[in-house]
Amino acid sequence: GYRWGLNYGTGTNAIIGLRTTFSFNKDKKGNTYSMFIPSVEFGSHFTFNKYAKGGYFTPSVGLAYPFTMSGGSQTDADHKGIEFNTRLGLGYRF
């Protein structure tokens, strides 16, 4: 995926991003299938420059729509229609 900064402060930045996910699953009957899931996300990127230089925390929310690619149909999948996702990123840059 890719994220764009909407504003640049010293401790937090608003972000918008695009993400694609490939998923390999099994349905309720045990059949395998793969999915392509494009999504858009909105969030904020917090940095901890005063406490742990390089540390960051990134909460975000997003909307996604899954497409079944192989091994089944969209109706066989557990995921149907638009999905609302929450994400939380926590890490350290060296």
Side-chain angles (χ1 to χ4, degrees):
Y2 189 81
R3 292 180 174 164
W4 291 273
L6 300 177
N7 67 334
Y8 296 95
T10 57
T12 183
N13 301 316
I15 58 170
I16 184 171
L18 299 173
R19 179 187 301 257
T20 57
T21 304
F22 292 94
S23 178
F24 305 97
N25 299 309
K26 284 188 178 182
D27 63 12
K28 294 175 185 175
K29 298 175 187 175
N31 301 322
T32 60
Y33 64 95
S34 59
M35 298 180 79
F36 168 68
I37 309 167
S39 63
V40 61
E41 64 182 354
F42 307 92
S44 188
H45 183 81
F46 298 95
T47 58
F48 303 114
N49 293 330
K50 292 182 181 179
Y51 307 106
K53 194 167 181 84
Y56 65 90
F57 171 70
T58 309
S60 63
V61 295
L63 295 174
Y65 190 87
F67 296 96
T68 301
M69 298 298 288
S70 66
S73 67
Q74 186 69 27
T75 57
D76 293 337
D78 291 335
H79 307 284
K80 298 175 191 170
I82 295 175
E83 296 180 347
F84 177 77
N85 298 316
T86 57
R87 294 186 175 100
L88 181 61
L90 181 65
Y92 188 83
R93 291 192 183 116
F94 295 96

